């Protein structure tokens, strides 16, 4: 098995964001879906901290959870000292999988306030983190979301020497053909870190199966505590088939035989645990906009491709979304006539996704963008094109 290299890990987008807070007093919290590389990032920073006065605990191990069962937090301090931490010096504590310890936020708050410990924490469920961390660690944490690999990150972990051009005019047909062979692999299996290192398609497919099983068992069954796990399982399968479409909540609730309230709770859980993302409509208060219905996308196009067998165009659109979301807020825009813009990033840049775009697509996107007061707009093409205002999915 190929092992991860430190010089590869440091190029993940989230690393540069976290580095800015290494000297700050706040706890660094890394969250995201399972298998996106949170533990790898935690280990990376553990190795980067030059001090020997540091402690690493994996809380998935029941034995390590026992240290936090004391109601008297000074006894936890004693345990930390036995494990080698010196509280007379600057101390660093790394805790992996914090969702397994219910009282952890109050413990972290205590040690930040009384001993100025610098914490590095990972947790797989935003649902848990937001509920427990919002009040108890107010002003004492910085949360970083970790997503599956972008295509540029994917290339780094593939040990590829390819350099993605920053201008589509530099993408000749031969360069396109060279890059697209790897891009097709990315679209097919996408961005879970462990999959990149698998040597063949069968291993990657088995890994996707295992990732979904792990998500369902650890997040849905263990964390979600739903009365009917089969309902949320069926909802997941239905949502996979609806990637890129607007959510018809009433229709879904009828199909599943649950109330709208229950369905919305399930949707919120799946979004908060990073399995799906609901993309809200862009709005400037115009009467002809469709305001309420969000579109749904999956966290990873490899899962969508493996379990739902969607069209290449839908997989491509989901992958574009997956890469855009790492750069900020994503919305879509649609008029009552159904003319639409696929994605608007940070309310500033409009993107239309087409496998084979033409000039009419550019004109329509330009017109809609001007209506909204958006100056920058781009067509994202899946196939090679001579259009001047086009990008390729691998350039995002």
């Amino acid at each position: 098995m190929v092992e991860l290299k430190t010089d590869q890990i440091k190029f993940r987008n989230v690393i540069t964001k976290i580095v800015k807070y290494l000297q700050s007093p706040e706890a660094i919290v890394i969250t995201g879906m399972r298998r996106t590389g949170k533990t790898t990032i935690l280990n990376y920073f553990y190795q980067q901290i030059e001090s020997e006065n540091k402690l690493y605990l994996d809380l998935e191990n029941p034995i390590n959870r026992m240290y936090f069962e004391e109601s008297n937090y000074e006894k936890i301090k004693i345990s930390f000292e036995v494990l080698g931490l010196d509280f007379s010096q600057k101390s660093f504590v790394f805790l992996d999988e914090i969702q397994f310890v219910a009282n952890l936020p109050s413990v972290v708050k205590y040690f930040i306030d009384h001993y100025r410990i610098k914490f590095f924490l990972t947790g797989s469920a935003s649902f848990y983190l937001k509920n427990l961390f919002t009040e108890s660690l107010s002003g004492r944490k910085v949360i970083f979301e970790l997503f599956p690999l972008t295509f540029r990150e994917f290339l780094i972990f593939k040990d590829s020497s390819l350099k993605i051009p920053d201008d589509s005019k530099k993408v000749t047909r031969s360069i396109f053909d060279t890059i697209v062979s790897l891009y097709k692999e990315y679209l097919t299996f996408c961005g879970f870190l462990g999959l990149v290192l698998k040597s063949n398609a069968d291993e990657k497919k088995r890994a996707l199966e295992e990732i979904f099983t792990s998500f369902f068992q650890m997040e849905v069954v263990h964390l979600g505590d739903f009365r009917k796990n089969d309902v949320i399982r069926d909802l997941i399968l239905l949502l996979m088939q609806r990637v890129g479409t607007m959510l018809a909540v009433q229709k879904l609730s009828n199909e599943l035989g649950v109330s709208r309230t229950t369905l919305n709770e399930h949707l919120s859980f799946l979004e908060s645990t990073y399995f799906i993302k609901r993309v809200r409509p862009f709005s400037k208060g115009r009467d002809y906009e469709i305001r309420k219905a969000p579109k749904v996308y999956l966290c990873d196009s490899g899962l969508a491709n493996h379990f739902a067998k969607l069209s290449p165009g839908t997989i491509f659109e989901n992958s574009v979304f997956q890469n855009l979301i790492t750069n900020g807020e994503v919305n879509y825009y649609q008029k009552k006539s159904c003319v639409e813009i696929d994605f608007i990033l940070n309310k500033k840049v409009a993107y239309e996704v087409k496998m084979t775009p033409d000039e009419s697509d550019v004109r329509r996107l330009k017109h809609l963008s001007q209506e909204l007061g958006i100056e920058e707009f781009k067509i994202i093409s899946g196939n090679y094109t001579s259009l001047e205002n086009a990008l390729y999915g691998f350039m995002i």
Side-chain angles (χ1 to χ4, degrees), residues 299-342:
C299 66
D300 181 81
S301 298
L303 284 175
N305 181 62
H306 182 71
F307 288 100
K309 306 302 181 186
L310 302 172
S311 70
T314 302
I315 294 297
F316 179 52
E317 182 179 334
N318 195 91
S319 180
V320 169
F321 162 77
Q322 186 180 329
N323 281 255
L324 287 177
I325 197 65
T326 64
N327 296 312
E329 181 185 7
V330 177
N331 300 104
Y332 79 94
Y333 177 76
Q334 186 179 82
K335 299 173 73 167
K336 286 186 177 179
S337 63
C338 292
V339 178
E340 68 176 5
I341 298 174
D342 287 325

Side-chain angles (χ1 to χ4, degrees), residues 129-272:
L129 295 176
K130 288 177 181 176
N131 286 348
L132 273 74
F133 274 54
T134 300
E135 296 299 328
S136 58
L137 280 178
S138 178
R140 297 175 179 85
K141 69 183 183 306
V142 186
I143 295 180
F144 298 91
E145 295 180 303
L146 189 60
F147 299 97
L149 299 175
T150 65
F151 180 64
R152 292 176 186 272
E153 291 174 329
F154 170 86
L155 289 179
I156 291 168
F157 286 98
K158 290 289 288 185
D159 272 335
S160 173
S161 60
L162 285 175
K163 303 295 182 184
I164 305 298
D166 56 4
D167 186 342
S168 58
K169 294 177 181 178
K170 299 178 182 178
V171 182
T172 63
R173 185 60 192 244
S174 59
I175 289 176
F176 176 87
D177 290 341
T178 299
I179 297 174
V180 84
S181 61
L182 276 171
Y183 189 59
K184 285 181 178 178
E185 179 185 344
Y186 177 73
L187 290 177
T188 302
F189 300 108
C190 223
F192 285 105
L193 191 57
L195 266 74
V196 181
L197 307 178
K198 300 295 183 184
S199 60
N200 60 64
D202 287 339
E203 287 186 357
K204 293 175 188 287
K205 291 175 183 177
R206 285 195 294 271
L208 284 170
E209 295 274 352
E210 200 276 329
I211 286 168
F212 179 78
T213 299
S214 175
F215 169 80
F216 196 85
Q217 291 298 324
M218 299 304 296
E219 308 291 13
V220 177
V221 176
H222 179 77
L223 181 64
D225 193 27
F226 297 103
R227 285 183 297 174
K228 294 183 178 180
N229 290 327
D230 58 333
V231 172
I232 197 164
R233 177 204 63 200
D234 293 345
L235 173 61
I236 289 171
L237 295 175
L238 288 174
L239 292 174
M240 286 179 174
Q241 297 292 339
R242 287 165 167 76
V243 165
T245 66
M246 286 187 286
L247 278 175
V249 173
Q250 188 59 57
K251 184 177 180 181
L252 277 172
S253 66
N254 291 340
E255 287 186 59
L256 294 167
V258 298
S259 68
R260 288 174 62 98
T261 300
T262 298
L263 179 63
N264 282 320
E265 288 173 354
H266 289 1
L267 289 169
S268 294
F269 176 84
L270 290 174
E271 184 166 30
S272 294

Side-chain angles (χ1 to χ4, degrees), residues 15-24 144:
I15 294 290
T16 57
K17 298 175 183 178
I18 294 175
V19 164
K20 299 175 184 177
Y21 292 87
L22 291 183
Q23 303 304 319
S24 73
F144 298 91

Side-chain angles (χ1 to χ4, degrees), residues 11-156:
F11 286 109
R12 292 214 65 178
N13 294 338
V14 74
I15 294 290
T16 57
K17 298 175 183 178
I18 294 175
V19 164
K20 299 175 184 177
Y21 292 87
L22 291 183
Q23 303 304 319
S24 73
E26 296 94 346
I28 290 173
V29 185
I30 306 168
T31 186
M33 190 180 167
R34 301 185 68 82
R35 308 301 180 86
T36 49
K38 298 182 297 299
T39 299
T40 301
I41 299 293
L42 193 68
N43 275 296
Y44 171 81
F45 280 109
Y46 182 81
Q47 294 170 15
Q48 295 302 304
I49 297 296
E50 294 182 357
S51 170
E52 294 297 320
N53 195 35
K54 54 189 177 182
L55 175 65
Y56 187 108
L57 293 174
D58 176 7
L59 299 181
E60 197 165 12
N61 184 338
I63 293 176
N64 289 335
R65 293 178 216 161
M66 294 173 62
Y67 299 124
F68 300 92
E69 293 175 358
E70 300 287 350
S71 57
N72 183 345
Y73 292 169
E74 285 298 309
K75 290 186 178 180
I76 298 178
K77 175 178 178 285
I78 293 172
S79 294
F80 282 176
E81 289 172 332
V82 171
L83 292 170
L85 213 58
D86 182 356
F87 281 80
S88 68
Q89 304 176 28
K90 178 66 176 177
S91 303
F92 302 86
V93 175
F94 295 75
L95 302 177
D96 197 16
E97 303 287 8
I98 57 176
Q99 70 273 9
F100 286 103
V101 179
N103 67 326
L104 196 73
S106 61
V107 174
V108 171
K109 178 180 181 296
Y110 181 85
F111 281 95
I112 290 176
D113 291 350
H114 289 80
Y115 298 104
R116 297 185 179 180
I117 301 294
K118 178 67 175 182
F119 282 94
F120 294 76
L121 315 170
T122 74
S124 62
S126 172
F127 180 82
Y128 172 91
L129 295 176
K130 288 177 181 176
N131 286 348
L132 273 74
F133 274 54
T134 300
E135 296 299 328
S136 58
L137 280 178
S138 178
R140 297 175 179 85
K141 69 183 183 306
V142 186
I143 295 180
F144 298 91
E145 295 180 303
L146 189 60
F147 299 97
L149 299 175
T150 65
F151 180 64
R152 292 176 186 272
E153 291 174 329
F154 170 86
L155 289 179
I156 291 168

